[in-house]
């Protein structure tokens, strides 16, 4: 069975639809110069009262949309159940300054259906059969047959061992896990006292996979759309640069090549476009060098008693959710993760070195980057973060069609390996290849994992000594960044497009301007 | 039998409303794939009415607005049936 977030991937569901309608509605609202006092009219541009298409009734839709709007404005959630109007203080968001604050990922309780957390249940397929292996294999005698009918599981006794699920000849017993919790690789989602999903923000690493896994679209991240729109509409000097993450290729449709995307960004007001693959090149060189230094400093085998097996590895640092997971769940490995800035920050630095006052917007598939850019030490470099989906809303609201726009010249100075960062295995592969070809290393053992559950399993194996590696790549999203929650196209076409664009790079290995 | 030509708009408005997802869905439909020829096409200008009628799909000259997997498959089935309905005549002529 594929992971929960893979089952709906690539489908344009009503959950996708309402999310995008909110983004486009907000963008049109801001572009039209509407004021905070007009905010109560905005939901009616998005939903049609009297014709509920997402929920049981229009009033519930209205309540949910108001809260989605609030989050998309970048403001902390206010719920009507707090006896406060959801639009309270919305005026604060009408600015070109940063208003975003933690937590990034939020449960909209009005939208949450309070799914059972984790339950083994007997479905109607049960034939109340003569053999009834379910109750025979149950180690805690939790299964009975009231009135000789279908099997019933006593939830107080059930230990979810899954034996009955496997034994049933009719496959009538199933385990129902709340999709948001199943998607969460760090077990941060539980139920609050009323049964609503609740995110433990001390555990959450902002990967955002729950936001695209909830079949009721009840979990949403905040956006910086409104503040970025104010910059794009403002005076020329305050307009931001766009940094495109390596996974951007193909995201805006098969007829929107990189040059068309660059042209679109310039058309909506961005001052310039750079690819983050450039910053990836900086990181590749830095980590390859560190790997070489580590190998040189390594004492001969057996000379370092007491060191945990596998503890010598170097961990990649580009995925903030992976880094947070490794540091939180395996504090003993905290020192193994490279202390380097991410490609996003490295690229932003390149711009700010030349123009310290420039504003920089990172555009990617990633929700964790929104949290990363809130960190005090990184704030001077990256001003805002936007997802591909949020950017597409601006194109749509501004009526910019990338399939027919005259392409602009795309700055092509990143390496093939840097452009490959978007796909799982690409980061570790780039570092290992660079270490071998530029620093003369040989036989680097690379271990890699995507999805946080798999990352944690790999770290556990490294801890126990079941696995060992010189270099460890971790990626929170399935398949790497191309599988991120803010993407617009499927995993396979995205991988193909990234591969083609990497093959077209002017060079394979990263190089430095000082070389 | 000719393959049914299915043109899916992949302009920005239609992509945002699920145009690329429609292509992916059609390509994954193994019962359908042998009967159709899928093509991603440029924005058909006014058809989507600034995105309000997106996504747009054209099948055998007929434009479907606010296309969904359901409505696209229905139209393809119609087009296939229309072709089959045209077949017996040709066969009779051939037999004679």
């Amino acid at each position: 069975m594929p992971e929960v977030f893979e089952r709906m991937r690539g489908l344009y569901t009503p959950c996708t639809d309402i999310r995008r309608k909110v983004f486009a509605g907000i963008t049109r609202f801001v572009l039209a110069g509407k004021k905070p006092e007009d905010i109560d009219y905005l939901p009616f541009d998005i939903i049609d009262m009297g014709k509920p298409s997402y929920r049981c009734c229009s009033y519930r839709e209205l309540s949910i949309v108001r809260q989605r709007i609030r989050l998309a404005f970048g403001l902390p959630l206010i719920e009507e159940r707090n006896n406060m109007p959801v639009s309270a203080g919305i005026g604060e968001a009408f600015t070109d300054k940063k208003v975003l604050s933690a937590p990034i990922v939020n449960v909209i309780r009005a939208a949450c259906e309070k799914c059972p957390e984790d339950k083994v249940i007997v479905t109607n397929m049960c034939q109340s059969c003569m053999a009834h292996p379910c109750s025979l294999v149950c180690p805690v005698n939790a299964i009975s047959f009231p009135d000789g009918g279908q099997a019933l599981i006593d939830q107080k006794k059930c230990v979810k061992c899954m034996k009955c699920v496997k034994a049933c000849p009719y496959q009538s017993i199933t385990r129902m896990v709340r999709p948001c919790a199943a998607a969460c690789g760090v077990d941060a989602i539980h139920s609050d006292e009323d049964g609503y999903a609740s995110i433990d923000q001390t555990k959450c690493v902002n990967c955002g996979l729950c936001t695209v896994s909830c079949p009721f679209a009840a979990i949403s991240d905040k956006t910086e759309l409104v503040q970025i729109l104010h910059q794009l509409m403002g005076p020329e000097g305050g307009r931001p640069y766009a940094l495109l993450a390596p996974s951007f290729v193909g995201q805006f449709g098969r007829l929107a090549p990189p040059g068309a995307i660059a042209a679109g960004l310039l058309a909506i007001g961005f001052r310039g476009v750079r690819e983050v693959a450039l910053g990836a090149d900086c990181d590749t060189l830095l980590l390859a060098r560190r790997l070489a230094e580590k190998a040189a400093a390594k004492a001969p085998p057996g000379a370092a008693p007491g060191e945990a097996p596998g503890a010598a590895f170097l961990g990649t640092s580009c995925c903030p959710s992976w880094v947070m997971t490794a540091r939180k769940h395996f504090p003993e490995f905290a020192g193994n993760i490279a202390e380097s800035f991410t490609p996003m920050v490295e690229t932003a630095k390149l711009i700010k070195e030349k123009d310290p006052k420039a504003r920089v917007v990172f555009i990617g598939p990633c929700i964790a980057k929104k949290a990363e850019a809130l960190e005090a030490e990184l704030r001077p470099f990256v001003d805002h973060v936007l997802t591909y989906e949020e950017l597409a809303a601006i194109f749509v609201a501004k009526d910019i069609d990338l399939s027919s726009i005259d392409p602009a010249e795309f700055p092509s100075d990143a390496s093939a390996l840097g452009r490959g960062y978007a796909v799982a295995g690409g980061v570790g592969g780039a570092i290992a290849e660079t270490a071998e070809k530029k620093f003369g290393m040989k036989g680097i053992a690379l271990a890699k994992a995507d999805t946080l559950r798999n990352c944690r399993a790999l770290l556990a194996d490294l801890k126990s000594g079941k696995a060992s590696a010189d270099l460890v790549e971790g990626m929170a999203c399935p398949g790497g960044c191309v599988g991120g929650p803010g993407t617009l196209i499927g995993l396979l076409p995205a991988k193909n497009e990234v591969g083609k664009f990497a093959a077209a790079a002017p060079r394979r290995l990263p190089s430095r301007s000082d070389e | 039998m000719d393959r049914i030509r299915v043109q899916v708009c992949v302009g920005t408005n239609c992509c945002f409303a699920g145009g690329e997802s429609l292509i992916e869905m059609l390509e994954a439909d193994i019962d359908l794939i042998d009967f159709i020829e899928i093509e991603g096409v440029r924005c058909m200008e006014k058809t989507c009415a600034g995105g309000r009628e997106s996504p747009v799909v054209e099948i055998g000259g007929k434009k479907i607005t606010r296309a969904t997997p359901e409505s696209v498959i229905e139209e393809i089935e119609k087009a296939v049936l229309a072709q089959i309905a045209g077949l017996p005549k040709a066969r009779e002529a051939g037999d004679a």
Side-chain angles (χ1 to χ4, degrees):
Chain A
M1 203 60 168
E3 293 270 11
V4 59
F5 36 79
E6 289 306 308
R7 287 179 225 160
M8 290 198 290
R9 185 189 292 284
L11 296 178
Y12 187 86
T13 70
C15 297
T16 324
D17 192 60
I18 187 65
R19 192 169 64 233
R20 294 190 187 170
K21 283 211 172 109
V22 167
F23 292 160
I26 284 175
T27 307
R28 290 197 181 99
F29 182 85
V30 175
L31 290 175
K34 296 281 176 69
K35 298 279 171 275
E37 52 270 28
D38 303 321
I39 194 76
D40 288 333
Y41 290 90
L42 176 52
F44 310 115
D45 295 337
I46 297 163
I47 55 167
D48 208 351
M49 288 302 280
K51 291 180 197 155
S53 47
Y54 305 100
R55 294 288 181 162
C56 48
C57 80
S58 288
Y59 300 101
R60 187 162 181 206
E61 278 187 7
L62 179 63
S63 174
I64 295 167
V65 160
R66 282 184 181 139
Q67 296 183 36
R68 298 192 75 88
I69 290 171
R70 191 173 170 88
L71 289 174
F73 267 74
L75 297 174
L77 203 61
I78 291 183
E79 297 178 281
E80 275 150 346
R81 50 189 279 148
N82 302 342
N83 299 317
M84 261 173 88
V86 172
S87 57
I90 199 102
E92 291 165 31
F94 287 69
T95 169
D96 63 355
K97 308 278 181 317
K98 197 172 185 83
V99 302
L100 195 72
S101 62
I104 300 295
V105 183
N106 298 266
V107 176
I108 300 170
R109 280 192 288 189
C112 177
E113 289 286 327
K114 305 193 210 182
C115 308
E117 256 181 89
D118 183 3
K119 207 173 173 186
V120 179
I121 45 172
V122 180
T123 68
N124 249 338
M125 306 258 283
C126 173
Q127 303 298 311
S128 184
C129 69
M130 200 162 101
H132 58 79
C134 54
S135 69
L136 300 181
V137 298
C138 178
V140 291
N141 278 346
I143 301 184
S144 62
F145 304 87
D147 307 320
Q150 291 179 327
L152 181 76
I153 300 174
D154 183 342
Q155 296 298 334
K156 287 201 189 89
K157 286 187 183 170
C158 175
V159 292
K160 299 172 189 107
C161 68
M162 306 291 279
K163 282 186 175 161
C164 60
V165 175
K166 287 176 197 137
C168 174
Y170 297 98
Q171 298 183 33
S172 79
I173 309 179
T174 186
R175 183 175 186 172
M176 181 177 162
V177 183
R178 174 182 264 178
C180 55
C184 181
V186 290
D187 303 323
I189 302 185
H190 56 275
S191 293
D192 69 8
E193 62 278 9
D194 298 320
Y196 295 107
S198 172
I199 300 172
D200 181 345
Q201 296 292 349
T202 62
K203 286 187 183 169
C204 175
V205 295
N206 306 299
C207 72
L209 285 173
C210 56
T211 67
V212 286
S213 299
C214 172
F216 288 96
I219 307 185
S220 183
D221 54 322
K222 293 174 185 161
T223 87
E224 299 194 89
L225 258 176
V226 175
Q227 295 80 46
I228 293 167
L229 284 167
H230 277 86
Q231 295 178 8
L232 294 173
M233 290 156 59
E236 183 131 16
R239 291 191 190 160
Y241 285 89
L243 301 191
L244 282 170
S247 55
F248 81 98
V249 203
Q251 289 293 331
F252 300 88
R254 61 194 63 199
L255 297 179
I261 298 169
L265 286 165
L266 297 174
I268 59 175
F270 279 97
R271 279 173 79 176
V273 181
R274 300 308 294 269
E275 56 175 328
V276 173
L278 269 180
D281 280 349
C282 302
D283 271 351
T284 303
L285 286 165
L286 195 79
L287 266 77
R289 191 183 300 269
R290 200 153 299 169
L291 203 58
E293 285 165 4
K294 240 182 151 129
K298 206 192 266 177
E307 198 171 62
F313 72 87
L314 179 69
T316 59
S317 60
C318 55
C319 171
S321 291
W322 142 257
V323 172
M324 271 178 93
T325 302
R327 292 200 173 133
K328 278 186 182 182
H329 289 263
F330 294 85
E332 62 272 41
F333 288 152
N336 292 70
I337 309 295
E339 287 282 344
S340 65
F341 287 129
T342 61
M344 166 177 89
V345 177
E346 291 291 351
T347 317
K349 272 163 67 185
L350 294 176
I351 289 176
K352 297 234 169 170
E353 272 163 17
K354 286 190 187 133
D355 184 358
K357 282 190 181 153
R359 280 168 163 155
V360 167
V361 175
F362 172 86
I363 299 166
C366 187
I367 289 175
K369 292 284 185 205
K370 295 183 181 184
E372 186 192 348
L374 284 179
E375 287 171 25
E377 61 159 336
L378 302 186
R379 276 209 177 188
F381 304 114
V382 182
D383 297 277
H384 304 281
V385 173
L386 207 56
T387 66
Y388 301 131
E389 199 175 38
E390 292 152 16
L391 172 63
I394 306 182
F395 289 140
V396 167
K398 284 209 136 189
D399 215 5
I400 304 244
D401 179 50
L402 302 184
S403 76
S404 51
I405 201 167
D406 282 334
E409 200 183 326
F410 195 86
S412 67
D413 30 18
S415 74
L417 292 180
R419 287 179 176 177
Y421 260 52
V423 177
V427 181
I431 297 163
E433 190 176 327
T434 306
E436 283 173 5
K437 293 192 179 152
K438 289 214 168 203
F439 299 94
M441 291 185 67
K442 279 193 186 73
I444 298 163
L446 167 66
K448 54 185 198 250
D450 59 342
T451 79
L452 291 176
R453 227 172 270 287
N454 291 341
C455 286
R456 282 168 65 190
L458 174 60
L459 287 169
D461 285 349
L462 287 163
K463 189 176 170 181
S464 70
K466 237 167 101 182
S468 71
D470 303 314
L471 179 62
V472 175
E473 176 201 288
M475 291 275 208
C477 290
C481 307
V482 283
T487 52
L488 291 162
I489 62 168
L491 198 53
L492 281 177
K495 267 188 200 171
N496 286 339
E497 292 296 321
V498 166
K500 278 193 264 175
F501 190 55
R507 68 184 87 83
R508 178 155 180 87
L509 291 173
S511 69
R512 296 186 74 109
S513 49
D514 55 10
E515 272 184 348
Chain B
M1 204 178 121
D2 293 334
R3 284 176 183 249
I4 310 287
R5 201 161 170 222
V6 182
Q7 294 177 299
V8 182
C9 175
V10 289
T12 304
N13 285 341
C14 288
C15 274
F16 194 62
E20 282 283 348
S21 310
L22 270 175
I23 297 185
E24 250 188 275
M25 183 277 304
L26 289 171
E27 282 174 344
D29 192 329
I30 49 165
D31 293 325
L32 212 59
I33 197 74
D34 291 335
F35 295 98
I36 57 174
E37 195 183 300
I38 311 164
E39 195 189 348
V41 298
R42 243 167 256 293
C43 179
M44 302 180 220
E45 302 268 328
K46 300 268 167 4
T47 318
C48 69
R52 283 189 300 279
E53 298 297 323
S54 285
V56 179
V57 177
E58 190 170 334
I59 298 172
K62 188 180 169 185
K63 286 198 175 84
I64 307 166
T65 51
R66 297 193 191 208
T68 61
E70 293 96 327
S71 67
V72 169
I73 288 174
E74 197 182 308
E75 207 52 44
I76 293 171
E77 280 173 355
K78 273 191 208 160
V80 171
L81 287 175
Q83 274 208 7
I84 292 171
L87 284 178
K89 264 186 196 165
R91 197 176 295 152
E92 274 165 24
D95 288 346

